[in-house]
């Protein structure tokens, strides 16, 4: 009754009712029905009552502070809007929504005031409410309108109640304070816009209310310059408009605000410098009068049109526009969710109607149709069930009997390997992964042997296809080749409508659908490409039963991760796109026609992916010019390898298509000497000559062949070579020993291996054949410069015998190469040598440049078969499907020439001295101001000492996060140098890698909080009693915002925020069941890996907010098992998809990050025991060790560690606070419902096999304390572990034998091949790697070793033992933490 009584006092107009004059008929207007006057009061009461009921339902019937609740509330508004559009409402929708928001604002103000809290949850809820308010009041307004954009009928939309509640909430959440982020910035923007809109209203009470609130906000708070520019421009526009329209009274309200803005924030905009004639704001009595005159001057208008408008427009384009997009997201999501639910209801109604209709059909036809469908479904279910059961059985058998699994038999099993698609930043495929579907291809070997026996019957030529091939060639011949680019008329199709669509506050809505084919090495998968506003999807259209294991499936890629998109050819048709992503993956998609490809390309670019480069150029040559790569190469800023790889990529060469595989040159001609001499020009191949004309004796023969060739049909042009330097057969010839290329080679050879004498079995023999045989013109592939594994028969295929009786296995290497790894290293050195650098431009002219086509190509003896050239064949002109397949087969066999990138001779590369001389004076000054890397001149290092602590509490961690960012205001401020002492004392010092002082090469600002005991900041009091802290217990995010700590008595992993020098514990994670012993963050700052005494490791994702690290995810990405004893060291590389863990059991286990798959086991002992293909009892857990992994829920483990490798006498509980038991069944349930591939399921089963189970099913993962899993004294303990960017694995170990200890350092390749090892005199205190160097601290010495040979390159010493080691970003300084509390900084002496 009270509600109804209050409603009666409310006018009909206030509720949005439309009341006609007396005697008028009831009619309809926009959005509401017109009612007779006699019923308006009753309906007004009804409307108010219903509005309050809806508010109560939305406010108290849903969880108040959940994002989903706001979607449900939004659906209510969407339903109201739809009813309003259908003109069945008794009130206007906009005013109804305003009334609901008024009640919501009042409720939130009351809720916050009653609770006295304004936490983050309420802040997020308030942000969503403010965004709805903005959508209501400003939805139809355009911020860029020239005059008074926010002035409209205030009686309908504006109310003091909304303004007052919004202002109160802004005060409660402290959005006016400087330094706010995230939701607070969004609320501040909306409230500021609201205050300015009210301030320019003609209704004086609204204007006065806004001015009274806006003045103190601007007077008492600090705002960025772009926000002040926005405020000043809005006020200027309002005053200009009001004066021109005769509303001078409005100026008397706006002038005090302008006074405050200029007085308080004039220095921010540098007004006194830009406007010398501006009146002094401190003269309050005359300022307003003088300012009114001043704004009419030309100087003021010029400043507004140039500087102020520029800053104003910049604010509208980025911060303001992004805020508007966020404001519209909730409303758009709510509308779309309501529409989906409405469609679902309509669909249900339609289904009901269909059921009624079907009930009257002939029962016979209905039964027959049902039985046919049931039969088809049953067959498909049986097929899928059979495949799934077979797959699960293989997975179970494989993983329970693996080398690190409890059921391992100790008998060596066949393990097959394949090349992984993961690339590093140089586009190298360097990592091998297990091939669970691999085999030895014995059938192919037998088929080859039988074919050789039957070869005595002779070969018969196939001449029947020649006429048909000539017919196809004539039909597909292209005479005028155009550049593969989108013309201006095609780009103009991005109309204003498409641009407007991108500017809307859109959700992930479907923009375009298109059928296409995904091209991979092994498969071509037909499916549908779906482009949405935020993602790109690919859906495999094949039935599940037709998909091979490990191929096909559905994919989703975020547009934010898209880095490059290139127009590509497929079978010489310009119908493909290749997408490159930030995580170093790529996808090759082919479309039916060129027009379809171009349409998809335009749709993707219309969405404006934020991280795409090369987004302006349109042809490969334009892309290269835009990139500036050639200039960088000429000035020796990038290596020869990287430049060639980039040229291949831009020219359309791809790893996904064998006929367009990247091409690299032969560079050596000496494959017989015992020693490779890179200073002798005779060692190298003449790079100015094509590979087919390497022997000058062939020149006359090639000239004669070219001149004498005539094609009567007129289809084929003259050529020097009938084959090509890069085709599918040539690529498979070199990669024969490596899957998946082995399988492709067998398919190409009709199900068998090629004859042994035609295989790639010897490098010297291949070079000799190349020089002598005029038909062999194969260039090399990139793998010759980075992948030693393709030269080895790692899968032990039977490749047959040569005619000499020699059995083909690994590739025969030149005498100067001792191993495949040694060959790759020396071959890469040859590629980067001075001779190749001086002559490589000649080879580029032949392959990518002006000698590729035309008269220059003829003179250079560099003309190949016509159909290998870009644009020479048009498959779309062939109408017959069979003839098109013939043409495609011809193209695949002959190969394809890269896109031509240069029309003029390529510039030569400068010598090293010449490159240094051409730097401009500005560049020289910049280089002088920046400290060089210490590794450029290790012999000139100079030491500086800094007091950081004292001997009683020495520093054990020094770190300068490499990716620290500073705002515009703080640009040039020092970075943060993190120090942690033995007692856990945290120091956040200032650091700059340069100094104005001649005595020092750096600037160090000591943390003032460390001076006094009362201000010192200690990380935690929860470290395990007696635990000796080391640097392995700490890790930090790459942007320096988070510090992660381990070694706590409750087995937790803790996250500490160190933003702005104020450490604050944000998260405590309980997952391990024993002490966490080591941490490591990857170089990209995306993941952290933690190792524990419970023998397991966990990988956690670092959550990023606005590009900055904020916390760890609530659940681990992977939990890794396999060790028999405590984990002592970990390392991680996202680029290589590798997670490594070292243990007291003397082994290092390698897993993948994304799927958690076991890869291999390594050790510091380079013996067959630890080779990747061998499994023995020594490398797997025993049954007793596996049983010790499980204990009852009330059990406890043994004592903690002193130095992570020696026990204490005290005992502590195993589980941390809030940690319950975890059974095997529970873990399996957590993995249930996930679409796991064979390898992921293998990882899950491996995990369960290590957990075990109690008879009641309530077993828990426990620590290994009390000697559980304790390694024998003979096994080495892994002390340090790291993986380099180039894929080298480096580990150090300590082996105790009585009173003696052996310390060793060992390096492996990324694929587990032992490279070298050496012993050290003392136990290492720290281990780092930078470029091609390893830095090791032991005792008071730091030794710099070569990464490839471990030879000591340089050595420096300190006055005390070293506790910690760190290299500053860019390698400019080497920081040592000593036991006497000092920090030693080494740099190159000035």
């Amino acid at each position: 009754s009270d509600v109804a009584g209050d409603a009666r006092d409310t006018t009909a107009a206030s509720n949005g009712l439309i009341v006609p004059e007396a005697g008028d008929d009831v009619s309809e207007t926009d959005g509401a029905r017109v009612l007779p006057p006699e019923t308006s009061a009753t309906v007004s009461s009804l409307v108010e009552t219903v509005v309050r009921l809806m508010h109560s339902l939305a406010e108290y019937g849903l969880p108040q502070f959940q994002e989903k609740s706001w979607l449900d509330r939004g659906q209510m508004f969407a339903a109201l809007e739809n009813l309003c559009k259908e003109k069945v409402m008794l009130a206007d929708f906009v005013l109804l929504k305003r009334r609901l928001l008024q009640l919501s604002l009042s409720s939130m103000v009351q809720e916050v005031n009653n609770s006295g809290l304004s936490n983050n949850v309420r802040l997020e809820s308030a942000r969503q409410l403010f965004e709805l308010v903005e959508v209501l009041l400003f939805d139809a307004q355009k911020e860029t309108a020239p005059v008074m954009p926010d002035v409209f009928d205030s009686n309908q939309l504006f109310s003091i109640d909304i303004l007052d509640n919004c202002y109160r909430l802004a005060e409660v959440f402290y959005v006016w304070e400087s330094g706010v982020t995230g939701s607070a910035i969004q609320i501040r923007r909306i409230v500021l816009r609201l205050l300015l809109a009210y301030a320019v209203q003609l209704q004086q009470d609204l204007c006065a209310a806004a001015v009274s609130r806006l003045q103190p906000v601007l007077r008492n708070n600090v705002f960025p310059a772009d926000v002040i520019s926005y405020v000043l421009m809005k006020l200027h526009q309002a005053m200009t408009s009001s004066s021109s329209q005769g509303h001078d009274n409005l100026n008397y309200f706006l002038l005090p605000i302008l006074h405050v803005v200029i007085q308080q924030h004039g220095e921010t905009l540098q007004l006194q410098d830009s406007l010398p004639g501006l009146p002094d704001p401190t003269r309050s009595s005359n300022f307003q009068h003088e300012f009114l005159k001043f704004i009419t001057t030309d100087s003021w208008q010029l400043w507004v049109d140039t500087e102020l408008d520029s800053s104003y427009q910049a604010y509208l384009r980025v911060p303001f526009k992004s805020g508007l997009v966020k404001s519209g997201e909730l409303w758009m999501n709510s509308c779309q969710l309501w529409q989906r639910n409405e469609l679902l209801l309509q669909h249900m109604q339609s289904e009901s109607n269909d059921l009624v209709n079907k009930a009257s059909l002939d029962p016979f036809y209905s039964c027959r149709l049902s039985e046919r469908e049931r039969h088809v479904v049953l067959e498909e279910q049986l097929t899928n069930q059979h495949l799934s059961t077979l797959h699960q059985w293989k997975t179970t058998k494989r993983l329970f009997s693996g080398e690190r699994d409890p059921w391992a038999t100790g008998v060596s099993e066949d393990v097959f390997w394949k090349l992984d698609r993961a690339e590093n930043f140089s586009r190298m495929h360097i990592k091998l992964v297990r091939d669970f579907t691999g085999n030895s291809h014995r059938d192919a070997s037998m088929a080859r042997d039988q074919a050789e026996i039957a070869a005595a019957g002779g070969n018969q030529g196939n001449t029947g296809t020649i006429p048909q091939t000539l017919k196809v060639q004539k039909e597909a011949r292209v005479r005028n080749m155009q550049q593969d680019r989108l013309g201006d008329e095609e780009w103009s199709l991005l109309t204003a409508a498409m641009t407007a669509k991108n500017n809307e506050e859109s959700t992930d809505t479907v923009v375009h659908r298109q059928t296409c084919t995904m091209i991979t090495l092994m498969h071509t998968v037909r499916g549908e490409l779906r482009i949405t506003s935020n993602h790109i999807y690919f859906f495999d259209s094949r039935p599940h039963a037709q998909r091979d294991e490990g191929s096909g499936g559905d994919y989703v890629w975020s547009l934010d991760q898209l880095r490059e998109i290139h127009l590509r050819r497929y079978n010489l048709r310009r119908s493909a796109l290749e997408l490159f992503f930030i995580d170093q993956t790529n996808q090759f998609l082919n479309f039916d026609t060129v027009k379809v490809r171009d349409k998809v390309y335009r749709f993707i670019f219309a969405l404006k992916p934020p991280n795409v480069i090369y987004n302006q150029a349109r042809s490969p040559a334009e892309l290269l010019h835009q990139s500036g790569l050639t200039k960088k190469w000429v000035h020796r800023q990038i290596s020869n390898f990287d430049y060639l790889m980039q040229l291949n990529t831009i020219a359309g060469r791809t790893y996904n298509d064998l006929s367009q595989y990247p091409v690299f040159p032969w560079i050596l001609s000496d494959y017989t000497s015992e020693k490779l001499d890179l200073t002798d020009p005779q060692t190298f191949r003449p790079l100015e000559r094509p590979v087919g004309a390497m022997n000058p004796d062939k020149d006359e023969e090639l000239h004669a062949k070219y001149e004498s060739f005539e094609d009567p049909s007129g289809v084929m042009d003259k050529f020097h070579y009938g084959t090509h330097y890069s085709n599918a057969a040539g690529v498979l010839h070199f990669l024969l020993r490596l899957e998946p290329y082995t399988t492709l080679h067998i398919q190409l050879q009709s199900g068998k291996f090629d004859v042994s004498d035609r295989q790639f079995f010897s490098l010297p023999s291949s070079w000799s054949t190349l020089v002598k045989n005029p038909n062999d013109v194969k260039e090399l592939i990139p793998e010759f410069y980075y992948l030693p594994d393709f030269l080895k028969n790692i899968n032990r295929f039977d490749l047959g015998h040569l005619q000499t009786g020699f059995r083909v296995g690994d590739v025969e290497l030149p005498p100067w190469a001792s191993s495949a790894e040694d060959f790759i290293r020396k071959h890469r050195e040859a590629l980067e040598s001075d001779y190749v650098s001086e002559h490589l431009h000649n080879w580029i002219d032949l392959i990518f440049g002006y000698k590729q086509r035309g008269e220059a190509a003829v003179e250079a003896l560099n003309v190949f078969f016509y159909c290998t050239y870009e644009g020479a064949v048009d498959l779309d002109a062939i109408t017959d499907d069979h003839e098109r397949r013939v043409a495609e087969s011809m193209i695949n066999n002959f190969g394809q020439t890269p896109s031509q990138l240069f029309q003029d001779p390529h510039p030569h590369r400068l010598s090293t001295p010449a490159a240094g001389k051409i730097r401009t004076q500005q560049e020289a000054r910049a280089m002088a101001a920046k400290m060089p890397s210490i590794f450029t001149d290790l012999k000139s290092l100079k030491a500086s000492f800094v007091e950081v602590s004292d001997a009683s509490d020495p520093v054990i961690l020094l770190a300068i996060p490499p990716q620290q960012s500073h705002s515009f205001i703080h640009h040039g401020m020092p970075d943060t140098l993190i120090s942690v002492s033995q007692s856990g004392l945290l120091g956040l010092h200032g650091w700059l890698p340069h100094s104005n002082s001649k005595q020092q090469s750096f600037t160090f600002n000591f943390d003032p909080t460390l001076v006094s005991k009362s201000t010192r900041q200690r990380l935690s009091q929860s470290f395990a009693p007696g635990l000796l802290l080391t640097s392995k217990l700490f890790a930090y995010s790459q942007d320096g915002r988070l510090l992660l700590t381990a070694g706590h008595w409750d087995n937790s992993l803790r996250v500490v925020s160190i933003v702005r020098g104020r450490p604050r514990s944000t998260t405590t994670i309980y997952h391990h069941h024993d002490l966490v012993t080591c941490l490591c963050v990857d170089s990209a700052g995306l993941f952290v890996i933690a190792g524990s005494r419970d023998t397991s490791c966990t990988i956690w994702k670092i959550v990023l907010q606005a590009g900055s690290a904020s916390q760890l995810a609530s659940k681990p990405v992977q939990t890794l098992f396999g060790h028999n004893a405590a984990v002592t060291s970990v390392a991680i590389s996202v680029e290589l998809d590798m997670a490594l863990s070292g243990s007291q059991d003397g082994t290092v286990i390698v897993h993948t990050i994304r799927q958690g798959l076991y890869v291999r086991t390594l050790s510091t002992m380079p013996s067959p025991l630890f080779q990747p293909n061998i499994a023995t009892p020594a490398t797997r857990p025993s049954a007793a060790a596996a049983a010790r992994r499980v204990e009852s829920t009330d059990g406890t483990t043994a004592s903690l560690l002193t130095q992570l490798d020696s026990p204490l006498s005290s005992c502590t509980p195993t589980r941390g606070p809030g940690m319950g038991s975890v059974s095997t069944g529970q873990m399996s349930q957590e993995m249930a419902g996930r679409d796991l591939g064979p390898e992921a399921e293998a990882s899950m089963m491996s995990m369960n096999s290590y957990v075990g189970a109690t008879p009641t099913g309530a077993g828990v993962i426990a620590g290994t304390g009390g000697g559980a899993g304790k390694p024998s004294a003979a096994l080495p303990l892994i002390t340090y572990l790291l993986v380099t960017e180039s894929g080298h694995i480096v580990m150090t170990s300590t082996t105790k034998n009585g009173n003696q200890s052996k310390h060793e350092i060992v390096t492996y390749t990324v694929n587990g091949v032992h490279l070298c090892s050496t012993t050290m005199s003392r136990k290492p205190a720290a281990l780092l790697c930078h470029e091609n160097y390893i830095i090791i601290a032991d005792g008071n010495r730091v030794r710099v070793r070569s990464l490839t040979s471990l030879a000591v390159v340089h050595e420096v010493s300190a006055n005390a033992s070293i506790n910690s080691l760190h290299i500053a970003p860019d390698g400019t300084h080497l920081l040592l933490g000593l036991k006497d509390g000092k920090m030693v900084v080494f740099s190159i002496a000035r």
Side-chain angles (χ1 to χ4, degrees), residues 818-831:
S818 60
S819 64
E821 289 74 21
D822 187 46
F823 170 80
I824 294 297
R825 179 178 62 83
K826 292 179 179 178
H827 205 214
R828 179 65 182 275
E829 290 178 359
L831 179 64

Side-chain angles (χ1 to χ4, degrees), residues 4 79 123 161 203 278 293 421 473 515 580 655-656 737 780 791 882 932 1056 1155 1289 1301 1388:
L123 180 63
D161 180 60
Q203 191 171 339
L278 181 69
K293 294 181 178 180
R421 290 190 63 192
Q473 292 174 355
T515 57
F580 294 85
Y655 286 112
N656 296 300
R737 293 162 178 79
L780 297 184
L791 299 171
H882 176 69
V1056 180
Q1155 293 183 300
I1289 299 173
S1301 297
I1388 294 180

Side-chain angles (χ1 to χ4, degrees), residues 956-968:
I956 53 111
L957 174 68
L958 292 171
I960 306 172
Q963 299 175 10
Q964 301 183 52
S965 60
H966 300 286
S967 64
F968 177 78

Side-chain angles (χ1 to χ4, degrees), residues 1-15 17 39-53 99:
S1 60
D2 293 338
V3 172
D6 294 338
R8 293 189 188 97
D9 298 332
T10 307
T11 64
S14 66
N15 282 324
L17 294 174
T39 62
S40 62
T42 303
V43 173
S44 175
S45 174
L46 174 63
V47 169
E48 178 66 17
T49 303
V50 173
V51 167
R52 288 182 177 272
L53 289 174
R99 180 60 180 151

